Amino acid sequence: MVERGEQLDNIQDKTDNLAQAAQGFRKGANRVRKDMWWKDMKMRMCLIAGVIIIIIVIVLAGHVPSHVRAISCLKGLDVSADACVTLSQYITNTLGIHCGALSGANLALEIAQKKYSESTIAYRLPADYLKGQDVDEQVLYYLFHRPYFHVNVVQDVTGVCLAGALKNVIAIAAGFVAGVGWGDNAKAAVMRRGLLEMIQFGTEFFNGDIDPSTFLKESAGVADLITSCAGGRNVRMGAEFAKHKSTKSLKQLEAELLNGQSAQGITTAKEVYEFLEARNALDRFPLMVATYNIAFNGLDIEKLPEILGHHWEVKHFKSKL
Amino acid sequence: MVERGEQLDNIQDKTDNLAQAAQGFRKGANRVRKDMWWKDMKMRMCLIAGVIIIIIVIVLAGHVPSHVRAISCLKGLDVSADACVTLSQYITNTLGIHCGALSGANLALEIAQKKYSESTIAYRLPADYLKGQDVDEQVLYYLFHRPYFHVNVVQDVTGVCLAGALKNVIAIAAGFVAGVGWGDNAKAAVMRRGLLEMIQFGTEFFNGDIDPSTFLKESAGVADLITSCAGGRNVRMGAEFAKHKSTKSLKQLEAELLNGQSAQGITTAKEVYEFLEARNALDRFPLMVATYNIAFNGLDIEKLPEILGHHWEVKHFKSKL
C-alpha cells in the first residue's frame, strides 16, 4: 500500500515487487492453460478413438471369424423404450463373436501415468470353448494385469456394462446435490441410493443375468461410481445445472462448457426414464426418475430428500430394496 | 506494472487499486480464520461431549434398570490383542442394558444445518422384548427419522459398530494415496479393498454375527466410508504423513495439526494390527496391515500396489475375497 507523501523511489520499488508477483501469477495461469489444453486434447483423442472403434465394428460386420474373442473397453448401453442392450451384446449381435467387457475406476490420464489403479474384466466362457486352446479367465488376467494396473476377472458381463453406463446418471444426481451445497453427507446418500437402484435395474430387467456383488464389490461397480462422483463431466454438469438454478438446460451447459464433448449421463438419464416408463416401473427407481425430472421437467432439487425419504419409508416396511 | 517515466499520478492510482485488492484479500483471510475457529470449537465440543458420555456410563453402572434400552451414537471399538468389543457391547456389559447403535455418513455440522443426510440404526429385539410396550424397529424409525435426516433400521449392531471404527483405518490409507498424488483411481481402489477387508474382519472374528450387506448397502457402511475418505481428520493425517515423506510420525502430525484432537484411525490401525497378529491372520488383511506398517514401521507407500496386487492374485485363483 502507498501513503501520500511517500518517496517516489519507495513507490517505484513497491510497484516493481507487485509487478514481479503479477508476472509469477501470469506464468502460473499460463501453465494451467497449457495443462488444460493437453487434458482437453487427450479427451478429444479418446472421443475420436471411440468413434473409430464403432466404425470398425460396422465395417467388420460379417468379416470376422466366429471363433474370435473380444473384450469391449467402451462402457455403453443402447437403451430405448423397447429394449436395453449392453455394448458387449451389441458387438456380439453385430459381429457374431463372443464378447466380454472391461470397466473400472479408470481415469485414462492416471493410467497413462502408470499410477496405481484397478479394473474389472467380465468374461463368460463361450458355448464353443476349447479348453487349453481358448481365451479363459486366467489368460485374460495375464493379458491385462500389470504391477500398477490390477484386474479382477468376473463372469458378469451384463452387470459390468450396466454399472459402467448407469453410474453416469447417478453422477449427474451427485452433481445436483454438490451444486446446491448440501455437502458430503448428502452426496454419499445419493451415491448409496444410486448403487442400490443400479442393482435393482439389473435384477429387474435382465432376468437374474447380473450378480449384485459386481456392483457392490468390484472396481467396475462401487469404485467406478466413487471416481465418477468425485470428478468428471457428469458430476460437473449436474453441479453447474444446480448452480444456475435450472435457468440453463443441461444440453446448453454441455455445449457451453465441454468444448463439443458430451456428458453421457444426460442422454442415459433420458433413455433410462423412457425405458422405465414403458415398463410402468418408475416408482421403483425414485432417484433415477427424480434425476430425469430435475434435468428435463423443472423439478426442484430441494424436493429430492422428500422423494427419496417417502419412497424409502414405504420400501422399509414392505419389501426392502 | 510501472514503466520508468510514468506520471506520479498514474503510479499513485495503480498502487491505490492494488491496496484495495490487498484489503479485500485480508478480509477474505479473516473470514476463513473465523470460520476455522468456529469449526475447531465445535469439534472440541464434540470431543468433550464424548468424554462426558463415557463418564456418565461409568457413573451409571449398576444404577440403571435392566429394562432400559439404549442407542449408542459413538462409533467405537475396544480392540486389544485379547479381544475386540464394540462400544454398544461395552455399554451392555457395563450397564447391563440392551444397546443398539446409530452410525452413518453423518458429518455433524451438515446435520446441524439440516442438510439432507442418511443414517443407519442397528437394533436387535432383546430377549425380554414385550410386544406393543417396548422399543422396536418401527419405534426407532419414528423417533429418529426426519424430513432431512433419513434413517434405516437394521438388526446388525456388530456390523454397524465395526464399520464405524474400521473405516477410519481405511481413511488413513486413502490419505496416504492422496498424499503421494496417485489420484482418484488409486483412492477408489483403496476404498474398495478396504470395504472388502472390513467385511472379512467382521465375518472372521464375529462368528457370523455380521451381515455383509450392512457394509455394502447401508449408510453406516459404504456411505460412511465415502464421506470419511472424502474429508476429515483421518484422511488428512494420512495425506500429511505421505507429503512429509514419513519424516514426521502420525502422532507428531496429529499434535501439530489437530489442536489436541485425535485421528481415531491411527490408534485403531495399531490395535487392529495387534489383534490380527495375535490370531495369525495378518495375511488376510493386506491393506490394514500395510497401513499399520506404513504408519509405524517405515514401509514405503510405493510398495502398496505390489502388496495389494500380489495378494489379490493369490486370492483370485484360490479363495476369492
Side-chain angles (χ1 to χ4, degrees), chain A residues 149-183:
Chain A
F149 183 74
H150 297 178
V151 297
N152 196 14
V153 189
V154 301
Q155 297 201 333
D156 182 11
V157 183
T158 307
V160 162
C161 289
L162 268 184
L166 295 177
K167 64 118 209 290
N168 291 329
V169 180
I170 311 308
I172 299 265
F176 290 156
V177 163
V180 290
W182 287 351

Side-chain angles (χ1 to χ4, degrees), chain B residues 17-38:
Chain B
N17 289 343
L18 286 162
Q20 272 178 12
Q23 192 64 19
F25 179 74
R26 186 177 299 142
K27 276 183 191 162
N30 271 335
R31 203 177 51 245
V32 170
R33 203 182 58 197
K34 273 183 199 157
D35 284 356
M36 292 314 292
W37 178 85
W38 180 225

